[in-house]
Amino acid sequence: MSLRYAVLTLLDIDPGSGYDLKRRFERSVSHFWSASHQQMYRELHKLHDEGLLDCEEQPQAGKPDKKVYSLTDKGRAELRNWVAQPAAPQKIREPFLVRMFAGHHLSRDELHGALDAQLQLHRGLLDNYREQNERVLKSDPALQERYWLAHQTLLLGIEAEKTWITWAEKLLVELEEKREETN
């Protein structure tokens, strides 16, 4: 998948500025897709140049005009065609796992510290996703129905983080057991 379709999908929900889109991105698809602010703006401009987005400038007091993007019919058709295509599963690209693969170069303490730091990051992500889930569950029932499928991706993100945490906690216990065996 490319950022192109994440942007089209988010603008299909509601028109918005680059800033609006980045915030929406962080509160929705960030549990399975990432992009920098610069990448987001580059993609908005590219999609606009291709005729997939309209851009309306809205004046703001004391600030530059706000550019609000929305899908064109051509953009909606592009999104629909993309959604209809089968998607191949993606392989995990996780830098931490490469480090773990080469973890035999670390002392037990260094390995423990690296794993514990990763565990804390995943606990933080899980807390964030659970907060997002609570907001969804407290939202208007009509919105919940409209975005039911989108919500399912968040629920998968929660399960993925729980799996990471279970794996890391188990590995920390095993590291501690190995440390006791050698003492």
Side-chain angles (χ1 to χ4, degrees):
M1 185 182 96
S2 70
L3 178 57
R4 162 188 207 90
Y5 296 107
V7 169
L8 290 173
T9 298
L10 291 173
L11 288 174
D12 185 47
I13 293 169
D14 200 21
S17 67
Y19 176 78
D20 298 332
L21 189 62
K22 183 65 175 161
R23 287 187 64 224
R24 196 177 305 152
F25 193 94
E26 290 167 354
R27 291 185 311 220
S28 61
V29 299
S30 65
H31 55 278
F32 58 85
W33 199 258
S34 64
S36 70
H37 206 67
Q38 294 83 4
Q39 289 172 311
M40 189 85 62
Y41 276 98
R42 275 195 305 271
E43 196 63 41
L44 281 170
H45 293 203
K46 183 177 173 186
L47 292 167
H48 181 257
D49 290 345
E50 292 177 27
L52 301 176
L53 300 180
D54 279 329
C55 180
E56 178 186 322
E57 293 195 14
Q58 297 178 348
Q60 301 185 101
K63 298 180 186 175
D65 291 349
K66 180 178 182 178
K67 293 181 179 182
V68 177
Y69 295 91
S70 60
L71 288 181
T72 62
D73 289 340
K74 183 179 175 183
R76 209 167 273 104
E78 169 100 3
L79 179 59
R80 183 181 182 320
N81 289 336
W82 175 77
V83 170
Q85 299 301 313
Q90 294 293 304
K91 293 187 179 194
I92 297 173
R93 283 184 57 151
E94 178 57 59
F96 178 73
L97 294 180
V98 176
R99 288 187 173 106
M100 289 299 297
F101 199 79
H104 60 278
H105 291 285
L106 299 176
S107 70
R108 290 227 197 275
D109 287 341
E110 290 171 322
L111 190 55
H112 188 280
L115 189 56
D116 188 57
Q118 194 71 16
L119 176 59
Q120 298 315 314
L121 290 172
H122 284 280
R123 284 178 174 156
L125 286 171
L126 179 59
D127 289 344
N128 180 286
Y129 296 166
R130 284 179 168 160
E131 288 170 12
Q132 289 180 37
N133 189 49
E134 286 302 313
R135 284 194 300 272
V136 169
L137 296 175
K138 291 177 183 175
S139 69
D140 177 53
L143 281 175
Q144 288 183 42
E145 181 63 28
R146 181 175 178 195
Y147 300 116
W148 180 78
L149 282 173
H151 183 222
Q152 299 311 303
T153 67
L154 176 60
L155 295 177
L156 179 59
I158 289 170
E159 293 305 314
E161 292 309 321
K162 287 162 71 175
T163 298
W164 262 98
I165 290 166
T166 299
W167 173 78
E169 288 174 341
K170 182 179 179 222
L171 190 51
L172 282 170
V173 167
E174 289 179 20
L175 281 173
E176 195 56 40
E177 288 171 354
K178 287 186 178 293
R179 182 190 316 246
E180 290 172 7
E181 289 173 9
T182 59
N183 289 338

